[in-house]
Amino acid sequence: MDIILCSTSPRRIELLKKLVPDFKIIKPLYEEHDLELDNPFDFPLIQSENKANSIKNIAKPQDLIISCDTVVYLENSILGKPHNLDHAFNMLKMLSGQTHQVISGYTIIYKDKLIKKAVVTKVTFNKLSDELIKKYIQNEKVLDKAGSYGIQDDSDYHLIKEINGSYYNVMGFPLEEIEKDLINLGAIKD
């Protein structure tokens, strides 16, 4: 059995290494796109399942596939990855001084088993000045991050006032929950 991470995200690769020293990385063959959904939890779950299914045919039957998708949810709006730096600025302006939810949906396919779960972390931002937002988007890689920010970049900027839930979920990979599922499936040891 090989464990396959269906992602090329450096953060997801780094986090899975905490659980599994050796795994394969395959870029999803599924192109992410906006979905019209009423429930914000459905978006990352559908995206993660589509990513996992996109490589199922090139994996061996005994392989275990893990995929994940993360969105930021604020005031009935799903904030995915920004289209450009202006979009990133506007997203961070919206998040300033507000509490939002980071929702990660992950999918694990292993033999005849399909696990799909959504994990939520509440994040409260400090009030951010326009100057701080501009400095942040100029110095950090924001275009590949849901909501235009990475919690791991925060030490120099102090965007985040409070976090309630999984830190790793905000990074885009709910490590604690995925670890429990991998143990239950017998893919890793406790």
Side-chain angles (χ1 to χ4, degrees):
M1 172 195 64
D2 286 325
I3 293 177
I4 299 171
L5 176 64
C6 183
S7 175
T8 55
S9 159
R11 292 167 302 282
R12 290 185 179 131
I13 293 167
E14 171 193 335
L15 291 174
L16 185 55
K17 282 181 182 174
K18 292 178 179 287
L19 301 179
V20 182
D22 188 35
F23 56 91
K24 290 183 176 178
I25 299 161
I26 299 178
K27 182 178 181 174
L29 301 173
Y30 170 76
E31 193 66 37
E32 290 182 33
H33 57 278
D34 292 337
L35 304 169
E36 295 295 323
L37 302 169
D38 294 330
N39 184 341
F41 295 91
D42 290 342
F43 187 91
L45 284 172
I46 290 170
Q47 298 282 48
S48 74
E49 185 174 9
N50 287 339
K51 289 177 189 179
N53 282 329
S54 78
I55 66 158
K56 198 160 85 169
N57 291 337
I58 59 175
K60 296 187 292 281
Q62 70 272 21
D63 289 344
L64 184 148
I65 301 168
I66 304 170
S67 66
C68 191
D69 191 73
T70 302
V71 297
V72 168
Y73 185 66
L74 173 70
E75 297 174 356
N76 299 319
S77 294
I78 291 175
L79 307 179
K81 296 173 186 169
H83 306 301
N84 53 46
L85 293 181
D86 287 338
H87 191 207
F89 178 88
N90 291 333
M91 280 188 189
L92 291 168
K93 192 85 173 147
M94 285 173 59
L95 295 171
S96 175
Q98 302 292 318
T99 298
H100 62 273
Q101 294 177 306
V102 176
I103 306 168
S104 290
Y106 70 89
T107 299
I108 299 174
I109 298 174
Y110 182 51
K111 296 182 180 173
D112 61 343
K113 294 180 175 61
L114 172 67
I115 297 170
K116 294 189 321 182
K117 291 184 182 170
V119 178
V120 180
T121 302
K122 288 187 177 178
V123 179
T124 303
F125 264 33
N126 287 308
K127 192 79 174 140
L128 309 177
S129 68
D130 288 358
E131 294 75 26
L132 178 66
I133 295 172
K134 286 176 188 169
K135 180 180 171 191
Y136 181 73
I137 64 174
Q138 287 168 357
N139 293 315
E140 301 299 332
K141 294 179 182 174
V142 297
L143 297 180
D144 70 339
K145 296 178 176 89
S148 305
Y149 77 95
I151 193 169
Q152 66 279 5
D153 306 326
D154 193 46
S155 61
D156 292 338
Y157 303 96
H158 307 290
L159 308 176
I160 297 168
K161 181 178 184 179
E162 185 179 7
I163 176 172
N164 187 348
S166 168
Y167 174 90
Y168 295 118
N169 187 48
V170 182
M171 280 182 78
F173 199 71
L175 198 64
E176 304 89 348
E177 290 298 317
I178 291 171
E179 179 179 30
K180 287 179 203 169
D181 287 329
L182 292 179
I183 290 168
N184 288 337
L185 290 169
I188 62 172
K189 296 201 184 323
D190 192 355

